[in-house]
Amino acid sequence: DGGITQSPKYLFRKEGQNVTLSCEQNLNHDAMYWYRQDPGQGLRLIYYSQIVNDFQKGDIAEGYSVSREKKESFPLTVTSAQKNPTAFYLCASSPPGASNQPQHFGDGTRLSIL
Amino acid sequence: GIQVEQSPPDLILQEGANSTLRCNFSDSVNNLQWFHQNPWGQLINLFYIPSGTKQNGRLSATTVATERYSLLYISSSQTTDSGVYFCAVERGTSYGKLTFGQGTILTVHP
């Protein structure tokens, strides 16, 4: 089935450690997005990418990094510079011509600090 | 940036009741989506509705873009409708960037 796969579902990070969250899609979508959700809050945009080898910062990019080497993949690295990384992370994608197109979401990764 | 306000913040219903959720936004948009987040965190796409009215089973949605609001109607609610409902908008100049409201927490009791 076509969809967006995020892994792992749960991730624990030690202080000072970088961790990478995986997001893969087989929908042939051009645009991909990373959002962060804190308890009781809506989603906030971290980074987005409209095409391969190009990405832009969203509203809360500090302490995060991304790459877009393949159309199918948009991994997110939570660096040690992110002081409050505990959150639920959601990846999304949208069809070609990203504007005016619905976004579809993966099932998310819950990140916690040990 | 664009502001998105959802109301009510919390809603408690008995099974079988109807409800209306509202989303107000502060600027013109070219994309509006309604999502349901289930207790496991999965975000389910309900409607893509930048304008007009759509229906899908017991759910329907209406967006009046000129007045900057959208409504989500849930009829004959079921316990499986429980969760958080989010409205998200894309401003005309934001090219794919969604801004989410804070959500409405819906609890349906049997």
Side-chain angles (χ1 to χ4, degrees), chain A residues 6-9 11 13 19 21-22 33-38 43-44 46 60 63-64 76-79 82 84-92 105-112, chain B residues 41:
Chain A
Q6 290 189 239
S7 62
K9 288 192 182 301
L11 187 58
R13 195 191 90 168
V19 292
L21 284 60
S22 171
Y33 311 83
W34 273 106
Y35 293 89
R36 169 181 172 139
Q37 186 179 27
D38 293 288
L43 281 66
R44 292 181 291 167
I46 305 172
I60 55 166
Y64 300 97
L76 173 74
T77 296
V78 184
T79 74
Q82 173 48 245
N84 185 21
T86 297
F88 187 45
Y89 292 87
L90 287 149
C91 176
F105 283 78
D107 288 346
T109 293
R110 294 192 185 276
L111 175 62
S112 300

Side-chain angles (χ1 to χ4, degrees), chain A residues 30-31 33 49-50 94-103, chain B residues 31 90 95-96:
Chain A
D30 285 336
Y33 311 83
S49 168
Q50 294 162 2
S94 60
S99 187
N100 297 332
Q101 298 285 350
Q103 291 188 19
Chain B
N31 179 7
E90 174 194 342
Y95 198 72

Side-chain angles (χ1 to χ4, degrees), chain A residues 1 3-7 22-26 72 91 105-108:
Chain A
D1 288 344
I4 301 170
T5 301
Q6 290 189 239
S7 62
S22 171
C23 178
E24 304 277 336
Q25 55 98 0
N26 60 4
E72 303 79 16
C91 176
F105 283 78
D107 288 346

